[in-house]
Amino acid sequence: MSTTTEKAPPRPSSWAIKVAMAISGMVLAAFLLIHLFGNLKVFTGAEHFDDYAQWLRTAFVPFLPEGLLLWVFRLGLLAAVGVHIYGGVTLWARGRKARGPNRAKVKASRTGFQGFSARLMPFTGLSIFLFIVIHIMDLTLGTRPIASDTFEHPVGTRPSAYANLVASFDRPWMAAIYVVMMVLISIHVAHGISTAVQDLGAMGKRVRLVATVVGGVMALVILLGNAAIPLAVQFGVLT
């Protein structure tokens, strides 16, 4: 008498991972918009921009310890990034395993930008992760040679955010990296928003169309707003 053993489904399930990726992706997209709003304050001048950077460190003091709110945001974003990366890598690995070693090439059903952005998602995701590391080394930690030679750490609670940003983007190669990365981030966001809405169960044609439009608008705002800053430094608008 023969018995067959069925393999238990992987845990967590692919459905749960997709939902977690959708939620964490939307959190990160919302952060990008909030971060952009803060970054654009650089056009109001050095004093106002440094005041904003100082407020991030001293918000709600003395009700909260100095820097606590900033670290809560950082840890929350780190968790969202971790969930998103874990989900992406896990689903990619499961997909390759399911197709097997002799997988056939399947023509993508999506054409145009949707199909192009879908194929780029692993590449843009990895690029964004590397960019986060570079960004932290450049404008948070001041790690050379990624950071500029004139990087200044905060004196007390007063940061030199404006001077550090301008000094960093005054280097053409760093400005180019940021502009290129904004293009890749925008592609990732545009496709990610429409995918996230579907993974959360919204399958209606109109809902998917709205999600595609919203994702495209968000991506365009993120691209134009953030890319404008290094370009403004390169063209001498911000000095």
Side-chain angles (χ1 to χ4, degrees):
M1 183 176 179
S2 62
T3 59
T4 58
T5 58
E6 295 183 359
K7 291 184 178 180
R11 291 288 184 268
S13 67
S14 294
W15 173 83
I17 293 176
K18 287 182 178 182
V19 171
M21 282 193 70
I23 295 174
S24 60
M26 287 185 169
V27 168
L28 294 172
F31 165 75
L32 285 173
L33 291 176
I34 296 171
H35 191 51
L36 170 61
F37 177 76
N39 286 344
L40 291 178
K41 292 181 182 295
V42 72
F43 290 103
T44 64
E47 183 177 356
H48 287 168
F49 190 66
D50 286 347
D51 285 343
Y52 166 69
Q54 183 179 17
W55 177 84
L56 291 176
R57 296 174 176 274
T58 60
F60 303 109
V61 172
F63 180 73
L64 296 177
E66 182 180 308
L68 177 61
L69 185 64
L70 185 60
W71 275 106
V72 168
F73 273 111
R74 285 173 174 172
L75 293 175
L77 289 171
L78 181 62
V81 169
V83 169
H84 208 70
I85 292 175
Y86 168 78
V89 172
T90 302
L91 292 177
W92 176 81
R94 288 181 182 179
R96 284 185 63 88
K97 184 178 180 181
R99 288 192 295 269
N102 300 316
R103 57 189 180 276
K105 292 184 178 180
V106 179
K107 186 176 181 180
S109 59
R110 285 171 293 188
T111 59
F113 179 76
Q114 284 291 330
F116 172 73
S117 59
R119 290 190 294 271
L120 278 183
M121 289 301 274
F123 171 73
T124 55
L126 177 60
S127 299
I128 292 170
F129 173 73
L130 295 176
F131 173 70
I132 292 173
V133 175
I134 292 174
H135 184 64
I136 292 174
M137 294 174 66
D138 180 25
L139 293 176
T140 302
L141 301 178
T143 306
R144 295 182 178 87
I146 301 300
S148 66
D149 294 335
T150 59
F151 182 90
E152 296 181 9
H153 290 280
V155 178
T157 59
R158 188 66 180 177
S160 301
Y162 183 92
N164 290 338
L165 182 146
V166 171
S168 177
F169 292 156
D170 196 43
R171 301 168 296 174
W173 62 272
M174 183 58 76
I177 288 176
Y178 271 76
V179 172
V180 170
M181 282 308 310
M182 288 308 114
V183 174
L184 297 180
I185 288 173
S186 298
I187 293 173
H188 199 87
V189 168
H191 183 77
I193 292 297
S194 60
T195 302
V197 170
Q198 296 179 53
D199 289 341
L200 291 175
M203 302 302 294
K205 186 176 180 180
R206 290 183 179 180
V207 176
R208 288 188 285 115
L209 178 59
V210 170
T212 299
V213 173
V214 170
V217 171
M218 287 179 61
L220 188 62
V221 169
I222 291 169
L223 170 59
L224 296 180
N226 282 310
I229 299 173
L231 291 176
V233 174
Q234 283 294 307
F235 286 106
V237 177
L238 297 175
T239 59

